[in-house]
């Protein structure tokens, strides 16, 4: 059983070498708020997505913009050339829930209300239209 898992992990690692992505982990905002921003740029051309994020009023858009710039740099590093205008697209992007910090807030009559401080993980893939 352990050998099969090891082989599957090796295959996943090999598959990731041909993909261009960036991850942002433990972002201190709720996954729900981050998904609003992520849904705005899914499938967009990267330069258009950067413009959309730059002028968005959501605070999570600054984090996603930084992540997108990192993914573009990763693509350029692996291909050893600059990306041309209109070449790269956001192929996949998703948000997963991260660790939740649980806190208590004092409430009337000796009770305590639970506060959940959520975090999230964002994974962004870029690629050309021909790769898809």
């Amino acid at each position: 059983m352990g050998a099969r898992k090891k082989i599957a992990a090796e295959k996943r690692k090999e598959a990731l070498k041909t993909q261009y992505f960036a991850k942002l982990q433990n972002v201190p905002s709720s996954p729900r708020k981050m998904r609003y921003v992520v849904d705005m740029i899914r499938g967009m051309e990267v330069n258009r997505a950067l413009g959309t994020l730059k002028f968005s009023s959501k605070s999570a858009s600054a984090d996603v913009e930084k992540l997108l710039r990192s993914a573009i740099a990763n693509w350029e590093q692996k291909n050893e050339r600059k990306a041309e205008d209109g070449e790269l697209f956001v192929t996949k992007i998703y948000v997963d829930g991260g660790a939740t910090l649980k806190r208590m807030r004092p409430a009337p009559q000796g009770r305590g209300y639970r506060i959940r401080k959520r975090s999230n993980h964002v994974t962004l893939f870029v690629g050309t239209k021909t790769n898809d």
Side-chain angles (χ1 to χ4, degrees):
M1 185 73 172
R4 255 189 243 163
K5 283 186 180 178
K6 218 177 242 188
I7 292 170
E10 292 288 327
K11 284 184 181 178
R12 271 195 304 277
K13 283 183 182 177
E14 287 298 318
L16 285 177
K17 285 181 183 176
T18 61
Q19 294 179 332
Y20 313 101
F21 66 99
K23 283 183 182 180
L24 189 59
Q25 296 189 323
N26 297 315
V27 183
S29 73
S30 73
R32 186 175 182 174
K33 290 177 185 175
M34 187 62 82
R35 283 187 188 112
Y36 281 123
V37 175
V38 162
D39 290 342
M40 286 193 302
I41 66 160
R42 185 174 281 124
M44 263 191 200
E45 193 269 323
V46 292
N47 292 327
R48 190 162 169 234
L50 284 170
T52 303
L53 291 170
K54 188 169 188 71
F55 295 106
S56 172
S57 61
K58 299 276 186 192
S59 65
S61 63
D63 293 328
V64 178
E65 182 183 356
K66 186 176 178 181
L67 180 69
L68 180 56
R69 288 186 191 279
S70 175
I72 295 167
N74 291 345
W75 186 92
E76 290 173 347
Q77 184 71 33
K78 282 186 179 179
N79 288 299
E80 298 176 348
R81 66 182 179 92
K82 286 281 190 190
E84 297 170 18
D85 283 349
E87 182 181 12
L88 286 181
F89 292 84
V90 177
T91 54
K92 285 191 289 187
I93 183 169
Y94 53 88
V95 179
D96 297 321
T100 302
L101 299 174
K102 294 173 178 80
R103 301 288 181 260
M104 294 298 283
R105 167 163 287 162
Q109 299 180 357
R111 286 193 293 266
Y113 292 151
R114 188 176 296 134
I115 294 176
R116 291 188 285 298
K117 296 187 175 199
R118 301 177 190 275
S119 68
N120 63 66
H121 308 310
V122 187
T123 308
L124 188 149
F125 289 83
V126 294
T128 57
K129 281 291 184 190
T130 55
N131 285 356
D132 300 336

